[in-house]
Amino acid sequence: MEKKLSRVANTFAPSPIQELSHLAQRCNAINLAEGFPDFPAAPAIKSAAVSAINSDFNQYRHVQGICELLARNAEEMYGLEVDPDTDIAICCGQTEAFAAAMFAIIDPGDEVVLFDPCYETYEGCIRLAGGIPVYVALEPPHWTLDAEKFMSSFTGRTKAVILNSPQNPTGKVFTWNELEIIAEACRSRDCLAVTDEVYEHITYDNVKHVTLSLLPGMQQRTIITSSISKTFGVTGWRIGWAIANPILASAIRNIHVKLTDSAPAPFQEAALTALSSGPDYFESLRRDYESKRDYSIQLLTGIGFQIRFKPQGSFFLFAELPESSPLSDVEYVKHLIEQAGVVAVPGRGFFHFNSVSSEESLSACHDYQKRYIRFAFCKSSATLEAAAQGLSELVDKKGCLNLPPPCNTDT
């Protein structure tokens, strides 16, 4: 039966992040792997969803009010002029918005530039559209963009650049100078940009998110994708959108209709309440997550992890293994699950190789790509404290984790 599968389907494997979350459920372990909150969403948006269900909003539905609010918020936050009637497509979460964007702009053989490390979903969507992902490695430990390396990644087949800022898994917020480099490349090469801005409201230490669309000449060639999932702690509601010029937005909307027809009707109604939230909500969100970030940094550095880059946004820590650790990221994660009852994600799943990479560069990358683990700190205080307790039971007299010898094989 495997012979009946498409070539693309044969390249896909189960998501390691979701598999680890399932393992956490089976083992009753503490899930610091997947990026979803384990605390309640705001009462007002839950009440709005319940009210919509009780009002029998059960059928296919397009809630134009979402587009009106998104256009208003884009103008208030960034000074962008967005036409709610032509420039927005409501989708089933950011994931579908991104996939529909890829299907709208990518033809077989088109190349798409991404920054590495990066979230796992992007490559799958690009390959489903027939595109070829081309990775540009950000420079650790601060994940800076090398302009020369970035520019050299472009060819005559390059169609688009993918930008996720604030970024998963590193927590990097791209600087204005880096955005200018990306924008100049898109303008000079006549390329599109597709952004994932789901963490736009989750930034720290007075760092501000800037959308690439703000830069000169970029609004007409940028597709913004985002959702209510991360900002409002409702990752299972699947309400997202794409914002783009009318031609691109129309294509994405048409593809969305062919894929899923409609985002969940009652949750679209609830999104009206979420997107009407005032500044106090976003400031409280930022402050609470910053506190969780700082607690998690103190916890992990206290047992030997290296945090040489303090996340500027999102709700992940991309922690480097202790220098003394003989284990790889996969071995270390396995040890955490078995001995501390804490689940995290091996960092290597966020790193990628280009088919054109030299053997020397592959070898160099291979080493540091095994040295990171991603922890999600978007959890309740009780969950983070339980994780701290589990980890503390493995700490030796020197304050570092007791570790087994490395395995003979590295997977």
Side-chain angles (χ1 to χ4, degrees), residues 116-130:
D116 208 43
C118 71
Y119 181 51
E120 62 180 351
T121 296
Y122 306 142
E123 177 172 331
C125 293
I126 293 165
R127 290 198 181 281
L128 282 170

Side-chain angles (χ1 to χ4, degrees), residues 163-225:
L163 175 64
N164 172 213
S165 180
Q167 199 212 33
N168 173 12
T170 65
K172 172 186 174 63
V173 175
F174 282 70
T175 67
W176 181 267
N177 286 341
E178 289 173 329
L179 294 178
E180 285 187 321
I181 292 168
I182 297 167
E184 174 55 29
C186 290
R187 291 190 299 260
S188 64
R189 297 283 188 155
D190 192 25
C191 291
L192 299 172
V194 182
T195 66
D196 174 356
E197 303 185 24
V198 294
Y199 302 105
E200 63 180 325
H201 295 291
I202 306 174
T203 59
Y204 313 118
D205 304 322
N206 297 316
V207 173
K208 300 297 183 184
H209 167 69
V210 177
T211 180
L212 186 64
S213 291
L214 267 182
L215 278 75
M218 288 306 296
Q219 185 171 0
Q220 287 301 303
R221 62 173 71 246
T222 298
I223 301 171
I224 299 172
T225 66

Side-chain angles (χ1 to χ4, degrees), residues 41 45 59 68 100 110 125 170 183 211 222 325 346 361 382 392:
I45 64 173
Q59 313 309 326
E68 305 286 346
D110 286 345
C125 293
T170 65
T211 180
T222 298
S325 171
S361 64
S392 69

Side-chain angles (χ1 to χ4, degrees), residues 16-35:
I17 299 174
Q18 290 189 357
E19 286 191 323
L20 286 165
S21 286
H22 297 157
L23 177 62
Q25 288 180 319
R26 292 195 303 271
C27 301
N28 198 28
I30 298 163
N31 187 355
L32 302 186
E34 199 160 7

Side-chain angles (χ1 to χ4, degrees), residues 28-277:
N28 198 28
I30 298 163
N31 187 355
L32 302 186
E34 199 160 7
F36 60 78
D38 66 349
F39 47 83
I45 64 173
K46 291 193 293 184
S47 295
V50 171
S51 176
I53 292 170
N54 288 334
S55 298
D56 282 323
F57 289 114
N58 300 321
Q59 313 309 326
Y60 304 132
R61 190 168 177 80
H62 170 80
V63 179
Q64 180 61 21
I66 293 176
C67 300
E68 305 286 346
L69 288 170
L70 290 171
R72 184 199 71 182
N73 293 345
E75 200 282 326
E76 290 180 354
M77 290 176 58
Y78 305 119
L80 293 176
E81 291 187 13
V82 174
D83 187 329
D85 295 323
T86 62
D87 298 355
I88 301 174
I90 301 173
C91 298
C92 292
Q94 183 278 334
T95 301
E96 193 211 8
F98 183 88
M102 292 299 99
F103 299 151
I105 66 173
I106 299 302
D107 285 317
D110 286 345
E111 295 180 356
V112 182
V113 176
L114 306 96
F115 300 109
D116 208 43
C118 71
Y119 181 51
E120 62 180 351
T121 296
Y122 306 142
E123 177 172 331
C125 293
I126 293 165
R127 290 198 181 281
L128 282 170
I132 301 169
V134 176
Y135 291 96
V136 176
L138 299 173
E139 300 294 328
H142 298 105
W143 311 109
T144 52
L145 172 60
D146 183 317
E148 184 176 347
K149 186 185 296 184
F150 172 58
M151 293 303 297
S152 68
S153 69
F154 285 77
T155 72
R157 296 184 300 276
T158 305
K159 187 71 167 288
V161 176
I162 308 304
L163 175 64
N164 172 213
S165 180
Q167 199 212 33
N168 173 12
T170 65
K172 172 186 174 63
V173 175
F174 282 70
T175 67
W176 181 267
N177 286 341
E178 289 173 329
L179 294 178
E180 285 187 321
I181 292 168
I182 297 167
E184 174 55 29
C186 290
R187 291 190 299 260
S188 64
R189 297 283 188 155
D190 192 25
C191 291
L192 299 172
V194 182
T195 66
D196 174 356
E197 303 185 24
V198 294
Y199 302 105
E200 63 180 325
H201 295 291
I202 306 174
T203 59
Y204 313 118
D205 304 322
N206 297 316
V207 173
K208 300 297 183 184
H209 167 69
V210 177
T211 180
L212 186 64
S213 291
L214 267 182
L215 278 75
M218 288 306 296
Q219 185 171 0
Q220 287 301 303
R221 62 173 71 246
T222 298
I223 301 171
I224 299 172
T225 66
S226 194
S227 75
I228 65 171
S229 295
K230 309 296 185 176
T231 302
F232 298 99
V234 288
T235 61
W237 287 16
R238 313 316 298 145
I239 303 297
W241 54 84
I243 301 176
N245 72 56
I247 294 174
L248 295 175
S250 176
I252 292 168
R253 195 180 304 113
N254 293 339
I255 291 168
H256 155 69
V257 170
K258 296 296 187 292
L259 290 174
T260 60
D261 200 295
S262 167
F267 297 135
Q268 286 192 67
E269 295 293 332
L272 296 174
T273 298
L275 293 170
S276 299
S277 299

Side-chain angles (χ1 to χ4, degrees), residues 217-394:
M218 288 306 296
Q219 185 171 0
Q220 287 301 303
R221 62 173 71 246
T222 298
I223 301 171
I224 299 172
T225 66
S226 194
S227 75
I228 65 171
S229 295
K230 309 296 185 176
T231 302
F232 298 99
V234 288
T235 61
W237 287 16
R238 313 316 298 145
I239 303 297
W241 54 84
I243 301 176
N245 72 56
I247 294 174
L248 295 175
S250 176
I252 292 168
R253 195 180 304 113
N254 293 339
I255 291 168
H256 155 69
V257 170
K258 296 296 187 292
L259 290 174
T260 60
D261 200 295
S262 167
F267 297 135
Q268 286 192 67
E269 295 293 332
L272 296 174
T273 298
L275 293 170
S276 299
S277 299
D280 288 349
Y281 174 84
F282 299 108
E283 175 56 27
S284 175
L285 177 80
R286 185 204 62 75
R287 188 170 56 247
D288 288 349
Y289 274 138
E290 187 169 300
S291 175
K292 294 177 188 296
R293 178 202 64 171
D294 293 345
Y295 178 88
S296 302
I297 289 174
Q298 184 176 9
L299 167 63
L300 293 173
T301 56
I303 58 174
F305 279 94
Q306 303 176 81
I307 310 290
R308 293 194 283 172
F309 178 74
K310 194 175 184 180
Q312 302 162 325
S314 83
F315 40 54
F316 301 107
L317 279 172
F318 208 43
E320 197 171 351
L321 294 176
E323 289 185 354
S324 59
S325 171
L327 305 183
S328 71
D329 56 343
V330 173
E331 293 167 336
Y332 208 110
V333 165
K334 182 180 178 183
H335 180 64
L336 291 180
I337 295 170
E338 293 174 345
Q339 302 301 321
V342 174
V343 182
V345 181
R348 71 180 64 186
F350 301 99
F351 292 103
H352 306 81
F353 296 121
N354 291 322
S355 58
V356 297
S357 298
S358 67
E359 259 185 59
E360 183 179 347
S361 64
L362 285 174
S363 176
C365 289
H366 195 55
D367 290 336
Y368 83 77
Q369 289 180 358
K370 296 179 182 179
R371 300 293 300 172
Y372 286 90
I373 295 177
R374 193 194 74 173
F375 294 88
F377 56 82
C378 50
K379 309 297 178 181
S380 67
S381 296
T383 297
L384 294 177
E385 288 167 6
Q389 179 62 35
L391 293 170
S392 69
E393 294 176 1
L394 299 181

